[in-house]
Amino acid sequence: MEADRMLIDHTADSDRCIVFENASIRVGINVDCGAHIYELVDMRSGSDILYRDPAGSRDYRVGAWYELFPNAGPACQFQGRQFSRHGDLQHQRWRLLRASLCGHTAELSFAGRSREIPVLVTRHMQIGPAGRIRVRESLSNESSLDLRYLWGHHITFGENMMEGSARVELPDIDFTAELDAAPDAPYPPSARGRANRFPSKDGATVDLTRFDQLPYSAMLFADLSDDAHYTVSSPTLGLTVRAEWDPHAFGSLWMWTTTHGTTVDSDLVACALEPQSSAVPALADACAAGTAPKLAPHARRTAWLNLEVAHDTRS
């Protein structure tokens, strides 16, 4: 441990957690509960960029940044198996394979197994200076069967990144709303369009890349090309968060938002921008639609994701 960077192994919510802190960011990971990244704090402002769930890093309702596998949406049944909501990997005990400091960078490696299908998931993280996080992952089929799955990252931004003139910048893609739109959704069911000019209930358009409008909730799905990235900017904090990822592994993007004052969750303020393997949210439905990836017997699949927290140099 050195004064300008720390790697701490400690207990939180009765679980083993790893915290890395340098002059730019602090990252907290619950190893015993899905390797859940439960905090990502910008050290200059002292603000947690992710949603800080009041229930903690284990018994969370919304969570911060966690892995979805082998299902990504509602619970379902497929080929005689029951798949839990968002998949079971998020709640499994992972193993910490490596935790070390290499110069100004933390090197962290984890492994976790799903109990719903026989797949080993490994994650290697590099957390470096200037707020950069590199994630390299793999899926390994430990069986002699073809396995269908959904895989994604539930990256949930909190109120700190949704204040004032905060906004999301997205690739030039069309999103589709869920068939059963929430009561506070500002659009009709199954509406389709760009997120910044999405068809609204009154026949006009609504900008779903901003959060300073009337209370609303939204759930949108999009397929991507090779342009897999987004940014979330907060002029209030002088921060921009940019995420980019492997479009071959995560070829879709989900956007879930709820703002202050909605009828269902009036106090919940969060925006999840989720790289996903399919734009169809339940494994059984994705298989029926032909959009669920397949992992061949004893095959291995890799993926990458990068996230960077940058300061506005003018602030």
Side-chain angles (χ1 to χ4, degrees):
M1 184 179 74
E2 297 186 23
D4 59 348
R5 55 200 184 278
M6 297 184 293
L7 189 59
I8 305 167
D9 192 333
H10 74 121
T11 299
D13 297 324
S14 301
D15 291 330
R16 185 185 186 185
C17 295
I18 292 290
V19 176
F20 173 68
E21 180 179 311
N22 62 20
S24 299
I25 57 174
R26 182 172 70 245
V27 182
I29 304 169
N30 187 326
V31 182
D32 286 346
C33 186
H36 175 209
I37 303 171
Y38 61 86
E39 71 169 353
L40 175 53
V41 176
D42 168 56
M43 298 302 288
R44 187 181 72 169
S45 65
S47 299
D48 197 338
I49 291 165
L50 300 176
Y51 177 75
R52 186 174 287 270
D53 200 297
S57 65
R58 165 168 287 276
D59 298 319
Y60 56 85
R61 178 187 169 201
V62 174
W65 177 357
Y66 59 88
E67 204 107 4
L68 301 117
F69 184 87
N71 189 26
C76 65
Q77 284 191 331
F78 177 65
Q79 294 183 337
R81 294 177 177 174
Q82 181 66 37
F83 291 85
S84 55
R85 177 179 178 269
H86 289 179
D88 72 323
L89 192 66
Q90 62 170 316
H91 295 304
Q92 295 301 333
R93 183 185 296 272
W94 287 44
R95 289 183 296 127
L96 179 65
L97 305 177
R98 179 185 181 186
S100 62
L101 289 171
C102 301
H104 290 272
T105 300
E107 300 272 356
L108 304 171
S109 296
F110 309 88
R113 277 187 173 86
S114 169
R115 295 181 180 177
E116 295 178 346
I117 60 173
V119 170
L120 173 69
V121 181
T122 61
R123 182 199 302 169
H124 179 70
M125 298 179 67
Q126 290 183 334
I127 310 171
R132 296 188 183 95
I133 301 174
R134 298 175 71 248
V135 178
R136 302 295 180 266
E137 295 188 300
S138 68
L139 304 178
S140 298
N141 184 346
E142 298 184 314
S143 78
S144 57
L145 302 173
D146 286 329
L147 297 175
R148 296 285 180 178
Y149 65 89
L150 293 181
W151 188 20
H153 282 261
H154 196 289
I155 305 174
T156 313
F157 297 91
E159 189 170 4
N160 289 331
M161 292 298 294
M162 298 172 65
E163 294 179 339
S165 56
R167 69 176 303 119
V168 179
E169 295 183 19
L170 300 162
D172 195 20
I173 53 175
D174 282 339
F175 284 85
T176 301
E178 74 274 33
L179 179 62
D180 300 318
D184 291 304
Y187 48 74
S190 301
R192 182 175 175 83
R194 301 292 197 266
N196 63 343
R197 49 184 188 277
F198 206 70
S200 62
K201 288 178 178 178
D202 61 6
T205 61
V206 60
D207 187 353
L208 299 178
T209 66
R210 300 181 64 94
F211 312 109
D212 55 351
Q213 305 173 81
L214 294 174
Y216 75 89
S217 59
M219 184 73 235
L220 307 177
F221 308 91
D223 286 316
L224 299 164
S225 62
D226 289 338
D227 191 14
H229 75 273
Y230 61 73
T231 61
V232 184
S233 301
S234 169
T236 302
L237 297 179
L239 284 179
T240 296
V241 180
R242 178 179 172 84
E244 58 180 0
W245 60 90
D246 183 348
H248 303 292
F250 308 120
S252 301
L253 178 63
W254 301 4
M255 182 177 182
W256 168 73
T257 306
T258 181
T259 63
H260 268 305
T262 59
T263 56
V264 178
D265 293 296
S266 60
D267 295 326
L268 177 59
V269 180
C271 178
L273 293 163
E274 310 173 33
Q276 297 278 4
S277 60
S278 171
V280 180
L283 178 59
D285 294 339
C287 289
T291 64
K294 179 176 71 174
L295 197 59
H298 306 292
R300 182 172 179 266
R301 177 155 200 177
T302 61
W304 60 268
L305 184 152
N306 298 328
L307 186 142
E308 182 175 0
V309 181
H311 291 126
D312 185 344
T313 57
R314 297 169 297 178
S315 61

